[in-house]
Amino acid sequence: SYNNITPFGTLGYKIVGEPDSINYNNSFFASLGVNYRLSDTYSAGLLFDYRQAILNSVEDPQEGIAYLNWKSGHLLSVMSYGVVGFSDGSPDMGLGLQIKYSR
């Protein structure tokens, strides 16, 4: 992390299995992003997410995500986010809210 900025990334490979009726493909996935700590309770970030499609008939999902996260101590966090799709395998756009409570 540098001056409240933390880059992050993910790289993986998913083995999805082979049911009798559908031919799924195993797939690579990756994400690359940056988180900016605004204060002790707020952070914001951007990330790009890529996944290989598990079906040959679907385009690989590629999405951009922006988020704002609020943490209340160690127990509760609330994250709002927006998604923009860059391929036909992704939603055109979306909004979401994630609430996390941990003890």
Side-chain angles (χ1 to χ4, degrees):
S1 130
Y2 178 76
N3 286 347
N4 296 336
I5 297 173
T6 304
F8 61 90
T10 303
L11 182 62
Y13 186 74
K14 182 186 275 188
I15 300 172
V16 294
E18 293 289 332
D20 291 335
S21 58
I22 300 175
N23 185 22
Y24 290 123
N25 299 319
N26 297 332
S27 63
F28 285 99
F29 59 90
S31 64
L32 186 61
V34 61
N35 185 75
Y36 182 73
R37 187 172 159 217
L38 300 165
S39 69
D40 288 341
T41 56
Y42 284 97
S43 64
L46 296 170
L47 69 104
F48 176 77
D49 187 51
Y50 169 83
R51 297 178 308 279
Q52 281 185 317
I54 62 171
L55 295 171
N56 291 332
S57 60
V58 177
E59 193 174 334
D60 295 345
Q62 299 177 48
E63 300 163 2
I65 301 166
Y67 64 86
L68 178 64
N69 192 58
W70 171 75
K71 288 174 66 172
S72 174
H74 298 288
L75 299 178
L76 179 67
S77 68
V78 179
M79 181 174 65
S80 59
Y81 60 91
V83 178
V84 175
F86 300 120
S87 71
D88 287 338
S90 296
D92 290 336
M93 63 181 67
L95 296 172
L97 183 69
Q98 175 181 310
I99 300 170
K100 180 181 174 185
Y101 178 79
S102 55
R103 296 180 2 168

XYZ file of all heavy atoms in Angstrom:
802
model
N 0.848 -1.177 0.000
C 0.000 0.000 0.000
C 0.891 1.236 0.000
O 1.962 1.247 0.571
C -0.923 -0.112 1.184
O -0.994 0.990 1.990
N 0.447 2.292 -0.656
C 1.214 3.521 -0.778
C 0.271 4.705 -0.647
O -0.631 4.868 -1.472
C 1.931 3.552 -2.132
C 2.704 4.811 -2.365
C 3.921 5.016 -1.727
C 2.222 5.786 -3.210
C 4.635 6.169 -1.931
C 2.937 6.952 -3.426
C 4.143 7.134 -2.789
O 4.851 8.278 -2.994
N 0.455 5.508 0.414
C -0.385 6.692 0.625
C -1.876 6.372 0.504
O -2.588 6.991 -0.272
C -0.009 7.804 -0.339
C 1.288 8.466 0.033
O 1.798 8.278 1.133
N 1.836 9.235 -0.880
N -2.342 5.393 1.215
C -3.749 4.978 1.246
C -4.211 4.266 -0.012
O -5.393 3.983 -0.156
C -4.679 6.159 1.539
C -4.454 6.738 2.910
O -3.959 6.063 3.807
N -4.809 7.989 3.083
N -3.335 3.993 -0.963
C -3.694 3.278 -2.187
C -3.143 1.860 -2.108
O -1.964 1.662 -1.849
C -3.128 3.997 -3.428
C -3.754 5.385 -3.557
C -3.376 3.171 -4.681
C -3.140 6.230 -4.645
N -4.020 0.880 -2.329
C -3.614 -0.520 -2.298
C -4.035 -1.203 -3.598
O -5.225 -1.366 -3.857
C -4.257 -1.263 -1.117
O -3.938 -0.584 0.096
C -3.774 -2.699 -1.043
N -3.079 -1.596 -4.440
C -3.432 -2.379 -5.625
C -3.714 -3.824 -5.213
O -3.200 -4.312 -4.203
C -2.185 -2.289 -6.504
C -1.078 -1.981 -5.569
C -1.670 -1.281 -4.377
N -4.554 -4.513 -5.977
C -4.838 -5.918 -5.695
C -5.159 -6.646 -6.986
O -5.488 -6.029 -7.999
C -5.975 -6.066 -4.677
C -7.289 -5.486 -5.122
C -8.206 -6.257 -5.821
C -7.619 -4.171 -4.840
C -9.420 -5.724 -6.233
C -8.819 -3.632 -5.238
C -9.731 -4.412 -5.946
N -5.056 -7.947 -6.945
C -5.362 -8.762 -8.114
C -5.665 -10.182 -7.719
O -5.356 -10.620 -6.610
N -6.282 -10.879 -8.639
C -6.632 -12.286 -8.470
C -6.354 -13.000 -9.783
O -6.613 -12.454 -10.856
C -8.134 -12.442 -8.134
O -8.432 -11.693 -6.979
C -8.501 -13.897 -7.915
N -5.850 -14.205 -9.698
C -5.648 -15.043 -10.873
C -6.004 -16.457 -10.470
O -5.572 -16.933 -9.416
C -4.189 -14.965 -11.337
C -3.807 -15.746 -12.581
C -4.578 -15.229 -13.794
C -2.316 -15.639 -12.820
N -6.815 -17.127 -11.275
C -7.219 -18.474 -10.895
C -7.685 -19.307 -12.070
O -7.792 -18.826 -13.211
N -7.982 -20.551 -11.780
C -8.474 -21.511 -12.764
C -9.574 -22.318 -12.103
O -9.370 -22.875 -11.016
C -7.342 -22.438 -13.219
C -7.723 -23.372 -14.331
C -7.882 -22.901 -15.626
C -7.913 -24.731 -14.093
C -8.214 -23.758 -16.663
C -8.245 -25.593 -15.117
C -8.399 -25.101 -16.401
O -8.739 -25.942 -17.423
N -10.757 -22.345 -12.714
C -11.903 -23.041 -12.140
C -12.187 -24.321 -12.921
O -12.321 -24.301 -14.141
C -13.140 -22.139 -12.188
C -14.364 -22.786 -11.562
C -15.602 -21.933 -11.758
C -15.681 -20.900 -10.681
N -16.954 -20.157 -10.711
N -12.276 -25.431 -12.188
C -12.654 -26.722 -12.773
C -14.120 -26.930 -12.435
O -14.487 -27.047 -11.266
C -11.778 -27.851 -12.216
C -10.316 -27.568 -12.561
C -12.237 -29.200 -12.744
C -9.324 -28.499 -11.906
N -14.972 -26.939 -13.459
C -16.418 -26.918 -13.217
C -17.084 -28.284 -13.274
O -18.231 -28.418 -12.872
C -17.135 -25.950 -14.188
C -16.717 -24.534 -13.904
C -16.862 -26.316 -15.621
N -16.439 -29.296 -13.767
C -17.054 -30.621 -13.822
C -17.804 -30.848 -15.118
O -17.963 -29.946 -15.933
N -18.290 -32.055 -15.308
C -18.937 -32.459 -16.552
C -20.234 -33.222 -16.289
O -20.250 -34.439 -16.226
C -18.001 -33.353 -17.376
C -16.765 -32.671 -17.910
C -17.070 -31.688 -19.021
O -18.073 -31.873 -19.742
O -16.314 -30.716 -19.151
N -21.363 -32.510 -16.137
C -22.634 -33.238 -16.040
C -22.958 -33.901 -17.385
O -22.407 -33.528 -18.428
C -23.649 -32.149 -15.699
C -23.028 -30.883 -16.133
C -21.541 -31.077 -16.057
N -23.848 -34.876 -17.386
C -24.160 -35.634 -18.597
C -24.769 -34.790 -19.713
O -24.494 -34.996 -20.883
C -25.118 -36.784 -18.268
C -24.450 -37.860 -17.420
O -23.209 -37.973 -17.490
O -25.168 -38.561 -16.690
N -25.595 -33.824 -19.376
C -26.376 -33.135 -20.400
C -25.726 -31.865 -20.957
O -26.128 -31.383 -22.007
C -27.751 -32.777 -19.833
O -27.596 -31.960 -18.688
N -24.714 -31.302 -20.298
C -24.112 -30.038 -20.741
C -22.593 -30.176 -20.729
O -22.013 -30.731 -19.807
C -24.517 -28.871 -19.806
C -26.033 -28.696 -19.804
C -23.851 -27.579 -20.247
C -26.527 -27.659 -18.824
N -21.951 -29.637 -21.766
C -20.499 -29.673 -21.860
C -19.933 -28.332 -21.398
O -19.867 -27.373 -22.157
C -20.059 -29.979 -23.300
C -18.570 -30.154 -23.405
O -17.899 -30.448 -22.420
N -18.044 -29.965 -24.597
N -19.530 -28.248 -20.129
C -18.929 -27.037 -19.577
C -17.432 -27.042 -19.820
O -16.793 -28.091 -19.850
C -19.163 -26.945 -18.068
C -20.578 -26.668 -17.664
C -21.253 -27.532 -16.818
C -21.235 -25.528 -18.098
C -22.555 -27.267 -16.420
C -22.533 -25.253 -17.714
C -23.185 -26.124 -16.882
O -24.462 -25.861 -16.491
N -16.861 -25.849 -19.955
C -15.407 -25.693 -20.083
C -14.829 -25.230 -18.751
O -15.419 -24.388 -18.079
C -15.079 -24.629 -21.141
C -15.585 -24.992 -22.506
O -15.501 -26.141 -22.923
N -16.122 -24.014 -23.206
N -13.686 -25.759 -18.380
C -12.940 -25.177 -17.272
C -12.487 -23.791 -17.706
O -12.394 -23.503 -18.902
C -11.742 -26.051 -16.921
C -12.165 -27.419 -16.441
O -13.247 -27.594 -15.894
N -11.320 -28.410 -16.661
N -12.202 -22.897 -16.759
C -11.930 -21.525 -17.178
C -10.918 -20.819 -16.278
O -10.834 -21.076 -15.084
C -13.230 -20.723 -17.203
O -13.782 -20.630 -15.902
N -10.181 -19.913 -16.902
C -9.305 -18.996 -16.189
C -10.117 -17.775 -15.776
O -11.079 -17.403 -16.433
C -8.140 -18.541 -17.078
C -7.076 -19.570 -17.268
C -7.037 -20.336 -18.412
C -6.106 -19.763 -16.290
C -6.048 -21.288 -18.591
C -5.115 -20.720 -16.459
C -5.095 -21.481 -17.609
N -9.711 -17.131 -14.696
C -10.319 -15.867 -14.301
C -9.241 -14.978 -13.708
O -8.228 -15.455 -13.192
C -11.484 -16.067 -13.324
C -11.117 -16.767 -12.044
C -10.702 -16.052 -10.925
C -11.187 -18.149 -11.950
C -10.369 -16.709 -9.742
C -10.861 -18.807 -10.774
C -10.446 -18.081 -9.663
N -9.454 -13.667 -13.823
C -8.484 -12.711 -13.311
C -9.187 -11.394 -12.999
O -10.186 -11.053 -13.621
C -7.377 -12.469 -14.332
N -8.660 -10.691 -12.028
C -9.134 -9.341 -11.742
C -7.934 -8.491 -11.331
O -6.943 -8.997 -10.812
C -10.207 -9.335 -10.657
O -9.688 -9.791 -9.427
N -8.054 -7.207 -11.587
C -7.003 -6.270 -11.246
C -7.683 -4.987 -10.802
O -8.596 -4.499 -11.469
C -6.121 -6.004 -12.463
C -4.879 -5.160 -12.253
C -3.940 -5.821 -11.248
C -4.167 -4.959 -13.578
N -7.265 -4.461 -9.651
C -7.933 -3.281 -9.148
C -7.078 -2.467 -8.207
O -5.924 -2.796 -7.927
N -7.705 -1.402 -7.726
C -7.044 -0.513 -6.779
C -8.072 -0.055 -5.750
O -9.217 0.232 -6.085
C -6.380 0.694 -7.499
C -7.398 1.537 -8.231
C -5.566 1.512 -6.543
N -7.664 -0.055 -4.482
C -8.497 0.403 -3.376
C -7.870 1.675 -2.809
O -6.656 1.747 -2.630
C -8.579 -0.664 -2.287
C -9.525 -0.281 -1.179
O -10.739 -0.343 -1.337
N -8.979 0.121 -0.041
N -8.700 2.672 -2.536
C -8.223 3.922 -1.953
C -8.906 4.119 -0.607
O -10.140 4.162 -0.530
C -8.510 5.103 -2.878
C -7.982 6.403 -2.329
C -6.615 6.660 -2.317
C -8.839 7.357 -1.813
C -6.114 7.846 -1.801
C -8.344 8.549 -1.293
C -6.986 8.782 -1.290
O -6.486 9.953 -0.775
N -8.119 4.220 0.436
C -8.647 4.426 1.787
C -8.911 5.913 1.989
O -7.994 6.730 2.058
C -7.650 3.913 2.816
C -8.184 3.944 4.212
C -7.219 3.252 5.144
N -7.484 3.709 6.487
C -6.572 3.928 7.393
N -5.307 3.700 7.139
N -6.909 4.343 8.582
N -10.187 6.271 2.061
C -10.597 7.664 2.211
C -10.482 8.138 3.654
O -10.177 9.299 3.904
C -12.030 7.843 1.724
C -12.276 7.477 0.257
C -13.756 7.329 -0.024
C -11.644 8.509 -0.640
N -10.777 7.239 4.614
C -10.712 7.548 6.044
C -10.647 6.228 6.790
O -10.549 5.165 6.180
C -11.944 8.357 6.474
O -13.108 7.548 6.421
N -10.752 6.271 8.106
C -10.765 5.031 8.891
C -12.005 4.192 8.611
O -11.992 2.986 8.828
C -10.689 5.337 10.383
C -9.312 5.822 10.797
O -8.346 5.585 10.046
O -9.217 6.433 11.876
N -13.069 4.800 8.149
C -14.322 4.069 7.944
C -14.719 3.924 6.480
O -15.540 3.074 6.161
C -15.487 4.743 8.707
O -15.593 6.097 8.291
C -15.268 4.658 10.206
N -14.171 4.737 5.572
C -14.570 4.680 4.164
C -13.399 4.315 3.261
O -12.277 4.780 3.458
C -15.112 6.041 3.703
C -16.500 6.330 4.197
C -16.691 7.109 5.325
C -17.611 5.830 3.535
C -17.970 7.388 5.800
C -18.890 6.099 3.994
C -19.061 6.880 5.119
O -20.323 7.140 5.583
N -13.702 3.511 2.237
C -12.758 3.239 1.168
C -13.537 3.139 -0.141
O -14.737 2.869 -0.148
C -11.962 1.955 1.432
O -12.813 0.837 1.453
N -12.844 3.359 -1.248
C -13.447 3.291 -2.570
C -12.479 2.583 -3.493
O -11.273 2.548 -3.240
C -13.757 4.690 -3.087
N -13.006 2.019 -4.564
C -12.111 1.323 -5.464
C -12.692 1.089 -6.829
O -13.889 1.265 -7.068
N -11.799 0.668 -7.716
C -12.129 0.294 -9.084
C -11.460 -1.039 -9.377
O -10.345 -1.295 -8.911
C -11.598 1.326 -10.076
C -12.171 2.731 -10.005
C -11.355 3.658 -10.900
C -13.630 2.731 -10.425
N -12.140 -1.879 -10.159
C -11.499 -3.112 -10.584
C -12.032 -3.557 -11.927
O -13.140 -3.206 -12.323
C -11.641 -4.222 -9.549
C -12.992 -4.856 -9.286
C -13.055 -6.221 -9.934
C -13.194 -5.000 -7.800
N -11.195 -4.292 -12.639
C -11.566 -4.925 -13.901
C -11.575 -6.428 -13.660
O -10.624 -6.971 -13.093
C -10.575 -4.574 -15.017
C -10.885 -5.278 -16.303
C -11.924 -4.845 -17.108
C -10.155 -6.384 -16.687
C -12.228 -5.502 -18.289
C -10.439 -7.048 -17.863
C -11.483 -6.607 -18.672
N -12.650 -7.081 -14.082
C -12.825 -8.517 -13.853
C -12.980 -9.220 -15.193
O -13.767 -8.782 -16.048
C -14.070 -8.738 -12.984
C -14.236 -10.176 -12.561
O -13.266 -10.749 -12.030
O -15.323 -10.739 -12.767
N -12.228 -10.319 -15.411
C -12.290 -11.119 -16.627
C -12.466 -12.585 -16.255
O -11.817 -13.077 -15.332
C -11.000 -10.964 -17.446
C -10.906 -11.976 -18.563
C -11.543 -11.752 -19.770
C -10.213 -13.162 -18.385
C -11.488 -12.691 -20.783
C -10.149 -14.107 -19.395
C -10.789 -13.869 -20.596
O -10.740 -14.809 -21.578
N -13.365 -13.273 -16.961
C -13.539 -14.712 -16.785
C -13.718 -15.365 -18.152
O -14.436 -14.816 -18.998
C -14.777 -15.011 -15.923
C -14.679 -14.483 -14.526
C -15.933 -14.745 -13.689
N -17.196 -14.338 -14.270
C -17.679 -13.092 -14.266
N -16.980 -12.111 -13.750
N -18.857 -12.829 -14.792
N -13.099 -16.506 -18.366
C -13.398 -17.280 -19.569
C -14.791 -17.872 -19.401
O -15.147 -18.340 -18.314
C -12.398 -18.419 -19.764
C -11.082 -17.993 -20.340
C -10.196 -19.189 -20.606
O -10.110 -20.103 -19.791
N -9.516 -19.180 -21.729
N -15.570 -17.849 -20.469
C -16.918 -18.412 -20.418
C -16.843 -19.927 -20.260
O -15.962 -20.578 -20.818
C -17.684 -18.051 -21.681
N -17.769 -20.486 -19.499
C -17.788 -21.936 -19.313
C -18.583 -22.643 -20.410
O -18.540 -23.859 -20.508
C -18.307 -22.343 -17.923
C -19.743 -21.904 -17.699
C -17.388 -21.805 -16.839
C -20.368 -22.463 -16.430
N -19.283 -21.882 -21.250
C -19.993 -22.435 -22.400
C -19.417 -21.836 -23.679
O -19.145 -20.636 -23.740
C -21.494 -22.120 -22.327
C -22.260 -22.744 -21.177
C -23.673 -22.173 -21.114
C -22.299 -24.251 -21.335
N -19.265 -22.659 -24.711
C -18.715 -22.175 -25.982
C -19.621 -21.140 -26.642
O -19.157 -20.309 -27.415
C -18.479 -23.346 -26.936
C -17.355 -24.246 -26.469
O -16.445 -23.804 -25.781
N -17.424 -25.515 -26.829
N -20.905 -21.173 -26.359
C -21.866 -20.288 -27.013
C -21.964 -18.911 -26.357
O -22.741 -18.066 -26.798
C -23.249 -20.946 -27.011
O -23.663 -21.185 -25.674
N -21.178 -18.646 -25.301
C -21.247 -17.387 -24.556
C -19.906 -16.678 -24.645
O -18.846 -17.310 -24.560
C -21.613 -17.657 -23.075
C -21.620 -16.374 -22.265
C -22.943 -18.376 -22.974
N -19.945 -15.352 -24.807
C -18.718 -14.557 -24.842
C -18.126 -14.451 -23.437
O -18.852 -14.450 -22.442
C -19.044 -13.161 -25.380
C -17.826 -12.366 -25.760
C -18.189 -11.054 -26.434
O -19.265 -10.964 -27.042
O -17.377 -10.114 -26.336
N -16.802 -14.354 -23.343
C -16.129 -14.233 -22.046
C -16.625 -12.992 -21.303
O -16.597 -11.889 -21.856
C -14.614 -14.109 -22.230
C -13.981 -15.348 -22.821
O -14.634 -16.413 -22.833
O -12.821 -15.247 -23.261
N -17.077 -13.132 -20.059
C -17.492 -11.968 -19.280
C -16.302 -11.054 -18.964
O -15.239 -11.513 -18.560
C -18.058 -12.575 -17.992
C -18.403 -13.981 -18.340
C -17.391 -14.386 -19.365
N -16.509 -9.745 -19.177
C -15.523 -8.718 -18.854
C -16.287 -7.548 -18.255
O -17.198 -7.023 -18.891
C -14.779 -8.263 -20.102
C -14.005 -9.379 -20.779
C -13.346 -8.890 -22.043
O -12.703 -7.849 -22.045
N -13.489 -9.645 -23.120
N -15.919 -7.159 -17.046
C -16.704 -6.166 -16.327
C -15.804 -5.176 -15.593
O -14.739 -5.534 -15.114
C -17.617 -6.852 -15.300
C -18.591 -7.806 -15.936
C -19.202 -8.787 -14.967
O -18.915 -8.722 -13.763
O -19.977 -9.644 -15.429
N -16.264 -3.946 -15.500
C -15.647 -2.927 -14.669
C -16.539 -2.684 -13.470
O -17.765 -2.637 -13.600
N -15.945 -2.545 -12.297
C -16.715 -2.385 -11.063
C -16.122 -1.219 -10.275
O -14.903 -1.122 -10.111
C -16.672 -3.675 -10.215
C -17.250 -4.850 -11.020
C -17.405 -3.493 -8.889
C -16.955 -6.210 -10.440
N -17.002 -0.347 -9.802
C -16.615 0.736 -8.893
C -17.388 0.526 -7.596
O -18.557 0.125 -7.622
C -16.958 2.090 -9.501
N -16.735 0.772 -6.462
C -17.408 0.532 -5.189
C -17.047 1.580 -4.154
O -16.028 2.257 -4.244
C -17.089 -0.865 -4.647
C -15.636 -1.077 -4.305
C -15.126 -0.728 -3.054
C -14.761 -1.630 -5.222
C -13.800 -0.918 -2.738
C -13.426 -1.826 -4.917
C -12.955 -1.463 -3.673
O -11.632 -1.640 -3.366
N -17.918 1.689 -3.155
C -17.695 2.504 -1.970
C -18.023 1.627 -0.774
O -19.097 1.008 -0.723
C -18.592 3.746 -1.974
C -18.478 4.654 -0.746
C -17.079 5.261 -0.656
C -19.535 5.749 -0.809
N -17.103 1.527 0.173
C -17.270 0.653 1.326
C -17.225 1.476 2.617
O -16.382 2.357 2.773
C -16.163 -0.410 1.347
C -16.443 -1.503 2.342
O -17.463 -2.168 2.263
N -15.541 -1.693 3.278
N -18.137 1.165 3.536
C -18.189 1.794 4.858
C -18.050 0.692 5.894
O -18.755 -0.313 5.841
C -19.514 2.522 5.034
C -19.759 3.013 6.429
C -19.162 4.083 7.032
C -20.652 2.457 7.392
N -19.632 4.224 8.313
C -20.558 3.223 8.564
C -21.523 1.368 7.386
C -21.288 2.957 9.706
C -22.254 1.091 8.520
C -22.131 1.892 9.665
N -17.110 0.868 6.842
C -16.909 -0.094 7.917
C -17.250 0.549 9.242
O -16.814 1.655 9.537
C -15.455 -0.567 7.953
C -15.091 -1.484 6.819
C -13.627 -1.805 6.801
C -13.224 -2.610 8.003
N -11.848 -3.108 7.932
N -18.027 -0.171 10.042
C -18.364 0.277 11.386
C -17.665 -0.668 12.358
O -18.165 -1.747 12.647
C -19.874 0.247 11.600
O -20.185 0.548 12.936
N -16.494 -0.302 12.804
C -15.731 -1.173 13.694
C -15.307 -2.436 12.976
O -15.049 -2.442 11.781
N -15.257 -3.530 13.726
C -14.838 -4.815 13.155
C -16.018 -5.711 12.814
O -15.836 -6.791 12.265
C -13.909 -5.545 14.126
C -12.647 -4.813 14.404
N -11.641 -4.697 13.483
C -12.234 -4.117 15.490
C -10.653 -3.985 13.985
N -10.992 -3.615 15.204
N -17.233 -5.297 13.132
C -18.384 -6.178 12.988
C -19.196 -5.964 11.716
O -19.703 -6.917 11.137
C -19.329 -6.015 14.197
C -18.743 -6.357 15.557
C -19.772 -6.109 16.646
C -18.272 -7.799 15.582
N -19.348 -4.737 11.270
C -20.276 -4.432 10.188
C -19.587 -3.649 9.083
O -18.841 -2.710 9.340
C -21.445 -3.605 10.744
C -22.513 -3.160 9.754
C -23.287 -4.367 9.219
C -23.459 -2.169 10.419
N -19.862 -4.043 7.840
C -19.442 -3.244 6.690
C -20.568 -3.255 5.662
O -21.310 -4.230 5.535
C -18.134 -3.758 6.074
O -18.315 -5.006 5.468
N -20.695 -2.152 4.948
C -21.703 -1.999 3.904
C -20.991 -1.497 2.656
O -20.285 -0.490 2.700
C -22.806 -1.006 4.325
C -23.825 -0.840 3.206
C -23.488 -1.461 5.614
N -21.174 -2.213 1.553
C -20.538 -1.832 0.301
C -21.603 -1.636 -0.772
O -22.438 -2.514 -0.989
C -19.543 -2.896 -0.162
C -18.846 -2.524 -1.460
S -17.540 -3.658 -1.976
C -18.459 -5.141 -2.295
N -21.567 -0.496 -1.431
C -22.405 -0.270 -2.604
C -21.490 -0.312 -3.819
O -20.326 0.091 -3.751
C -23.136 1.067 -2.505
O -22.218 2.121 -2.393
N -22.015 -0.828 -4.938
C -21.164 -0.963 -6.118
C -21.982 -0.843 -7.395
O -23.192 -1.058 -7.406
C -20.393 -2.288 -6.097
C -21.257 -3.518 -6.062
C -21.654 -4.143 -7.241
C -21.692 -4.056 -4.857
C -22.458 -5.278 -7.209
C -22.483 -5.178 -4.819
C -22.858 -5.784 -6.003
O -23.655 -6.895 -5.972
N -21.293 -0.488 -8.446
C -21.866 -0.434 -9.784
C -21.020 -1.252 -10.724
O -19.805 -1.325 -10.583
N -21.680 -1.889 -11.688
C -21.016 -2.770 -12.645
C -21.334 -2.285 -14.056
O -22.485 -1.936 -14.345
C -21.503 -4.229 -12.495
C -20.854 -5.135 -13.526
C -21.274 -4.743 -11.098
N -20.329 -2.275 -14.928
C -20.513 -2.004 -16.346
C -19.901 -3.157 -17.113
O -18.750 -3.531 -16.865
C -19.835 -0.673 -16.753
C -19.925 -0.469 -18.258
C -20.446 0.494 -16.014
N -20.675 -3.756 -18.020
C -20.181 -4.875 -18.822
C -19.518 -4.396 -20.092
O -19.981 -3.454 -20.738
N -18.419 -5.068 -20.461
C -17.680 -4.740 -21.675
C -17.784 -5.826 -22.741
O -17.090 -5.760 -23.745
C -16.204 -4.498 -21.340
C -15.977 -3.371 -20.375
C -15.349 -3.610 -19.162
C -16.407 -2.094 -20.652
C -15.124 -2.583 -18.260
C -16.198 -1.050 -19.754
C -15.556 -1.300 -18.561
N -18.616 -6.834 -22.506
C -18.782 -7.916 -23.482
C -20.226 -8.402 -23.431
O -20.968 -8.104 -22.493
C -17.825 -9.081 -23.184
O -18.232 -9.771 -22.017
N -20.622 -9.176 -24.446
C -21.983 -9.726 -24.476
C -22.185 -10.794 -23.407
O -23.313 -11.155 -23.106
C -22.298 -10.305 -25.857
C -22.518 -9.218 -26.899
O -22.847 -8.076 -26.506
O -22.345 -9.509 -28.092
N -21.107 -11.296 -22.816
C -21.213 -12.284 -21.755
C -21.400 -11.664 -20.378
O -21.444 -12.363 -19.377
N -21.507 -10.328 -20.317
C -21.664 -9.596 -19.053
C -22.962 -8.805 -19.089
O -23.467 -8.482 -20.159
C -20.507 -8.612 -18.871
O -19.286 -9.278 -18.764
N -23.474 -8.443 -17.921
C -24.630 -7.537 -17.922
C -24.215 -6.177 -18.474
O -23.050 -5.779 -18.353
C -25.021 -7.441 -16.444
C -23.786 -7.803 -15.701
C -23.038 -8.766 -16.563
N -25.152 -5.459 -19.083
C -24.836 -4.117 -19.579
C -24.428 -3.211 -18.424
O -23.465 -2.464 -18.521
C -26.030 -3.508 -20.309
C -26.301 -4.203 -21.631
O -25.372 -4.811 -22.193
O -27.452 -4.148 -22.095
N -25.206 -3.271 -17.334
C -24.885 -2.506 -16.135
C -25.661 -3.076 -14.958
O -26.611 -3.827 -15.138
C -25.186 -1.015 -16.317
C -26.643 -0.686 -16.550
S -26.939 1.061 -16.780
C -26.131 1.363 -18.317
N -25.238 -2.711 -13.776
C -25.928 -3.181 -12.586
C -25.489 -2.399 -11.363
O -24.462 -1.719 -11.373
N -26.313 -2.469 -10.341
C -26.025 -1.850 -9.051
C -26.216 -2.895 -7.972
O -27.040 -3.806 -8.119
C -26.976 -0.677 -8.786
C -26.884 0.513 -9.713
C -28.025 1.493 -9.430
C -25.537 1.209 -9.570
N -25.490 -2.775 -6.883
C -25.648 -3.745 -5.805
C -25.296 -3.157 -4.465
O -24.682 -2.089 -4.357
N -25.723 -3.864 -3.435
C -25.444 -3.503 -2.058
C -25.096 -4.776 -1.311
O -25.825 -5.774 -1.390
C -26.671 -2.839 -1.418
C -26.509 -2.337 0.010
C -25.573 -1.137 0.029
C -27.863 -1.956 0.581
N -23.979 -4.769 -0.614
C -23.539 -5.936 0.154
C -23.395 -5.513 1.597
O -22.722 -4.541 1.912
C -22.200 -6.430 -0.375
C -21.597 -7.556 0.407
C -20.264 -7.972 -0.171
O -20.143 -8.203 -1.349
N -19.248 -8.043 0.673
N -24.043 -6.249 2.490
C -23.961 -5.987 3.918
C -23.291 -7.185 4.568
O -23.713 -8.323 4.373
C -25.361 -5.769 4.529
C -26.026 -4.562 3.855
C -25.268 -5.575 6.029
C -27.487 -4.403 4.192
N -22.219 -6.931 5.324
C -21.458 -8.009 5.961
C -21.399 -7.779 7.461
O -20.998 -6.710 7.917
C -20.043 -8.042 5.381
C -19.174 -9.120 5.974
C -17.794 -9.060 5.363
C -16.868 -10.027 6.036
N -15.488 -9.883 5.534
N -21.810 -8.793 8.199
C -21.731 -8.770 9.649
C -20.924 -9.985 10.077
O -21.255 -11.110 9.716
C -23.127 -8.810 10.275
C -23.106 -8.833 11.782
C -22.903 -7.668 12.498
C -23.268 -10.019 12.474
C -22.858 -7.678 13.891
C -23.224 -10.056 13.860
C -23.020 -8.875 14.556
O -22.971 -8.894 15.927
N -19.856 -9.767 10.809
C -19.049 -10.892 11.268
C -18.740 -10.730 12.747
O -18.559 -9.618 13.238
C -17.759 -10.989 10.448
O -17.061 -9.771 10.500
N -18.707 -11.830 13.435
C -18.448 -11.809 14.883
C -17.096 -12.371 15.182
O -16.494 -13.067 14.515
C -19.499 -12.610 15.626
C -20.822 -11.986 15.465
C -21.957 -12.654 16.148
N -21.631 -13.823 16.938
C -22.448 -14.388 17.765
N -23.630 -13.913 17.917
N -22.117 -15.431 18.463
